[in-house]
Amino acid sequence: MTGSDPRTTPGAVPLTGATAPCWVNLLTRDLEAAQHFYGLALGWTFHPSKLGPEFSVARRDGVPLAGLGGVSSAYQTAVAWLPYFAVEDADVAAGRVRERSGTVAVGPLTLGKGRGVLASDRDGAVFGLWERLTPAAKRSTSADRSYAWLRLRTRNAFDAAIFYGEVLDWASGRPGSCEVSYEEEEVIVRCEERPLARISSGAVEASPDPVMRPHWQVQFLVEDVDGTAEAVLRSGGTVIARNEVRGGREAVVRDPDGAVFGVTEASSPVAVSV
């Protein structure tokens, strides 16, 4: 819930274009400190949001990438990166969450050019819903490069796919709906041939380590994972892990306020195909 509707930006990348199923948002305690960190670590610039001084939109190369809101204390939520999925009707989608034993914590609330919901699935992974109230801008093309994608670490990938499929109309066959496939014991979600998310099993709900508990993790694409990891450390963040992936590298890091996110090499096949 960023205050400016990222889906109305022409020519934007998959997570922010008119056809995108989601937008990513950081809930933090100190917006100024968060902007300082992400500006140094990821090279982002920031622009004011119409919602007020506690919200801003991050950009790279002129493209809107994410929303930042210094509102975690106001909403009594944890500091975290969250995905927001586009829905036609926020009330209907919120009802579907409740019917399937999920939780609706906030909303639907009218914010700027849309209505937002903050919810969690059956295993406790937090996410948002966004109903756009204004017409979408020109649709971006499938050739646009993705600057980010999502990874859901959950207790059971197949159960999670059913939950989100029913809430968000994945694999419904409706025009514009996302496609779901099962590859190497993971669930892969693509929307109009664009990579969206990889869902994997193995998270432990009672784990003392928040990285091991069910959660949505935002993966930002970077040119140099090791260089970005070093920039994270210099800026006051923490590197949790560095991993080899198909054709490249990725790292899981934590910002100074505690929000966890990932960085993946843009040239990696994992980043291209999810």
Side-chain angles (χ1 to χ4, degrees):
M1 296 182 281
T2 64
S4 64
D5 184 357
R7 297 166 193 79
T8 63
T9 304
V13 294
L15 287 186
T16 58
T19 63
C22 75
W23 170 248
V24 293
N25 196 77
L26 172 66
L27 296 181
T28 186
R29 285 182 286 255
D30 188 331
L31 179 61
E32 184 176 351
Q35 290 178 156
H36 179 73
F37 169 79
Y38 287 97
L40 292 176
L42 298 180
W44 293 353
T45 59
F46 302 91
H47 299 259
S49 162
K50 294 180 180 179
L51 271 186
E54 289 303 312
F55 295 85
S56 67
V57 176
R59 293 175 180 261
R60 192 174 80 200
D61 299 329
V63 176
L65 301 176
L68 282 73
V71 295
S72 67
S73 298
Y75 286 121
Q76 297 184 339
T77 60
V79 172
W81 277 102
L82 302 175
Y84 283 78
F85 297 97
V87 295
E88 292 183 358
D89 188 312
D91 293 294
V92 170
R96 291 175 178 175
V97 171
R98 295 189 185 97
E99 290 167 1
R100 288 154 181 82
S101 301
T103 301
V104 174
V106 178
L109 296 177
T110 299
L111 296 168
K113 298 179 180 180
R115 301 176 70 230
V117 175
L118 190 65
S120 61
D121 63 24
R122 290 186 288 247
D123 295 320
V126 180
F127 63 98
L129 304 169
W130 181 261
E131 175 193 352
R132 182 176 47 234
L133 298 178
T134 58
K138 180 181 178 181
R139 297 165 71 91
S140 46
T141 68
S142 59
D144 287 337
R145 174 184 172 187
S146 175
Y147 278 69
W149 52 278
L150 306 172
R151 171 177 283 154
L152 174 60
R153 301 182 184 276
T154 188
R155 181 183 55 81
N156 185 293
F158 302 104
D159 288 347
I162 292 172
F163 173 87
Y164 287 99
E166 293 177 343
V167 170
L168 302 172
D169 280 333
W170 288 350
S172 66
R174 296 177 58 190
S177 69
C178 295
E179 298 178 355
V180 176
S181 60
Y182 302 92
E183 303 173 15
E184 299 180 0
E185 299 184 353
E186 290 187 318
V187 176
I188 309 300
V189 184
R190 296 182 178 88
C191 300
E192 298 190 347
E193 300 183 356
R194 299 168 183 242
L196 169 64
R198 179 187 295 270
I199 304 175
S200 58
S201 302
V204 180
E205 295 173 73
S207 173
D209 183 353
V211 176
M212 294 302 297
R213 293 197 291 266
H215 70 283
W216 281 98
Q217 181 173 297
V218 180
Q219 296 282 137
F220 294 108
L221 303 190
V222 298
E223 296 300 327
D224 180 358
V225 164
D226 290 322
T228 299
E230 294 306 314
V232 166
L233 292 172
R234 289 195 302 270
S235 306
T238 305
V239 176
I240 299 171
R242 304 191 201 203
N243 305 306
E244 296 290 336
V245 296
R246 285 184 294 134
R249 291 173 60 78
E250 68 177 20
V252 180
V253 301
R254 181 184 289 114
D255 74 17
D257 205 19
V260 175
F261 62 99
V263 291
T264 304
E265 286 186 354
S267 59
S268 166
V270 172
V272 176
S273 62
V274 177

